[in-house]
Amino acid sequence: MSSPEPALVSARPRILVVYGTRPEAIKVAPIVWALARRSEVTVEVCSTGQHREMLAPVEAALGLVPDHDLDLMRPDQTLNDLLSRAVVAVDRVLTRSRPDWLVVQGDTTTAMAGALAAFHRRVRVAHVEAGLRTGDLGHPFPEEANRLLIDRLASLLFPPTARARDALLAEGVPAERVLLTGNTVVDALERIAAGLGPPVERDEVLVTVHRRESFGEPLARIFRALGELARRFPATRFFYPVHRNPNVTGPARAALGGLPNVELAEPLDYVALVERLRGCRLVLTDSGGIQEEAPTFGKPVLVLRETTERPEGIEAGVAALVGTDPERIVATASRLLTDAAAHAAMARRLQPYGDGKAGERIAAALAG
Ligand code: UD1
């Protein structure tokens, strides 16, 4: 009896990791590092280039080198234009690379396009940062819908927190597809912070605002509040690296450009942002990532949004939801800048979003 021919090469799972914006690059990097350490898998990295200038410095800081760079960004791109071009472009990579898994992160147009393209090609989707919910399709827009839809398409879901896991289970996702991992942003942050010297403390408020649902009147209200705060606290510096979206840059310059203690800066690379975050007194932001990062350094966060899909920091007392109402923003920020006890109560170092080992857990699940 002849024995069957042994396979010449054992099939190693092929994993394609797709990202396109700055926060996705930060959050997939620890997964790519962990996958690259495993000889039992083959990993390829694809950037859609949904962001261009804002992506490159983060890729450099985190050592992310895409095997496929789709270079899709157009000035003032619409959601549908970008989505349609991204589906087609990722599809081409799928037909060439034939991965066993496609990994997407979060809730962006890139993540949505990657998941849909893979689903149509019957490639299994793994969703990092699954299960975050506000329950309101208008906030964040369109991200709440993107995240929900990707969760429906995914074969493996990696919620970062117990709350996100419970949301998925409550929606009927089978428990065997769900793995609680922590958020990979903590892994990335630990790696960056390890290379920095002691923080330089400054009398500075770090501001970031970019959300699509705030464009127009809500953004104008936020900027009115910032202007009022800058006038009330002339010795405090308001440092605001401005997102490159023209819907943000124009109104930011018009409303705040003339104020001596407001610095409207270019977007920062990740290392510089982490430096600024470690040294500031207070953070005003609508960014999801910064909500997750600030408690690591014990910095109070005022969330400039009506709802958040990341309530863990608020429940822990280190963040507060202040919305876009100028009076509320000014009153809450003023209190934290003048009342040391109120500030100290929120300035606690804790990490409700992860333990720095999420990338390794995700890589192990994909390899298994
Ligand atoms: C996207 C994500 C959002 C994420 C944010 C992080 C979607 C639907 N939204 O929003 O969830 O929080 O990224 O920044 O995917 N631009 C440049 N250079 C850059 C980047 C952007 O000029 O490097 C300008 C372009 O005019 C571009 C515009 O910003 O058209 C909007 O970029 P886009 O990625 O479509 O939306 P974001 O608001 O960045």
Side-chain angles (χ1 to χ4, degrees):
M1 243 174 73
S2 64
S3 59
E5 279 273 290
L8 288 178
V9 252
S10 63
R12 301 195 296 177
R14 296 174 64 85
I15 300 167
L16 179 67
V17 181
V18 177
Y19 65 90
T21 66
R22 185 168 57 168
E24 290 166 88
I26 293 167
K27 291 177 176 184
V28 300
I31 303 166
V32 175
W33 302 332
L35 286 170
R37 285 195 294 269
R38 290 177 172 265
S39 55
E40 70 272 28
V41 299
T42 303
V43 56
E44 280 184 35
V45 176
C46 171
S47 165
T48 62
Q50 174 175 338
H51 283 177
R52 190 176 298 139
E53 302 87 346
M54 287 169 52
L55 198 53
V58 168
E59 290 175 320
L62 297 170
L64 264 188
V65 183
D67 301 286
H68 311 271
D69 189 346
L70 308 179
D71 194 22
L72 294 181
M73 197 198 92
R74 301 282 176 272
D76 225 356
Q77 58 205 356
T78 67
L79 295 171
N80 285 331
D81 171 53
L82 175 65
L83 179 72
S84 55
R85 288 186 292 112
V87 171
V88 172
V90 172
D91 186 59
R92 275 193 212 111
V93 177
L94 288 171
T95 53
R96 252 185 288 145
S97 291
R98 304 197 165 279
D100 300 292
W101 284 103
L102 176 132
V103 179
V104 288
Q105 198 287 330
D107 57 7
T108 66
T109 299
T110 287
M112 179 65 221
L116 193 57
F119 177 71
H120 286 162
R121 288 283 175 193
R122 297 188 180 275
V123 172
R124 285 175 296 175
V125 174
H127 189 200
V128 178
E129 206 184 67
L132 278 62
R133 301 284 186 267
T134 64
D136 174 354
L137 290 178
H139 294 88
F141 174 86
E143 288 84 356
E144 177 80 0
N146 284 344
R147 203 186 295 269
L148 266 170
L149 293 167
I150 299 167
D151 284 339
R152 293 292 84 83
L153 299 178
S155 299
L156 251 184
L157 298 91
F158 300 119
T161 64
R163 165 191 287 271
R165 176 200 57 202
D166 294 347
L168 293 169
L169 299 178
E171 289 169 12
V173 180
E176 61 273 19
R177 290 205 219 147
V178 178
L179 178 68
L180 174 59
T181 59
N183 199 306
T184 55
V185 77
V186 181
D187 311 25
L189 201 55
E190 284 182 357
R191 160 91 68 119
I192 296 292
L196 300 176
V200 184
E201 297 286 344
R202 300 182 175 92
D203 182 5
E204 185 169 281
V205 175
L206 175 65
V207 180
T208 81
V209 195
H210 75 280
R211 299 231 68 92
R212 208 169 276 268
E213 66 273 16
S214 294
F215 292 170
E217 189 45 36
L219 206 57
R221 289 200 297 271
I222 291 172
F223 291 156
R224 273 208 297 285
L226 289 174
E228 172 61 19
L229 283 167
R231 280 183 285 269
R232 273 198 199 182
F233 297 94
T236 300
R237 185 165 201 77
F238 291 78
F239 181 77
Y240 175 10
V242 185
H243 189 287
R244 283 194 188 273
N245 194 316
N247 294 294
V248 181
T249 40
R253 274 201 211 102
L256 303 167
L259 292 164
N261 54 334
V262 177
E263 184 178 346
L264 300 178
E266 291 290 310
L268 296 180
D269 68 60
Y270 194 47
V271 178
L273 178 82
V274 172
E275 287 269 26
R276 250 25 226 216
L277 187 57
R278 289 196 319 164
C280 74
R281 281 177 73 189
L282 173 66
V283 183
L284 267 60
T285 190
D286 63 5
S287 148
I290 294 178
Q291 285 176 60
E292 292 159 343
E293 289 158 349
T296 301
F297 302 121
K299 302 299 175 179
V301 183
L302 300 187
V303 182
L304 302 166
R305 294 171 49 177
E306 306 302 338
T307 54
T308 178
E309 67 282 36
R310 295 172 170 88
E312 289 87 349
I314 293 164
E315 287 160 0
V318 296
L321 200 62
V322 292
T324 60
D325 170 40
E327 273 179 31
R328 185 155 175 223
I329 297 169
V330 171
T332 317
S334 297
R335 175 141 187 262
L336 291 171
L337 291 173
T338 52
D339 179 342
H343 185 276
M346 285 183 76
R348 282 179 292 121
R349 278 173 189 270
L350 48 94
Q351 191 32 278
Y353 297 103
D355 64 358
K357 299 184 177 68
E360 196 45 58
R361 288 190 190 101
I362 291 168
L366 290 167

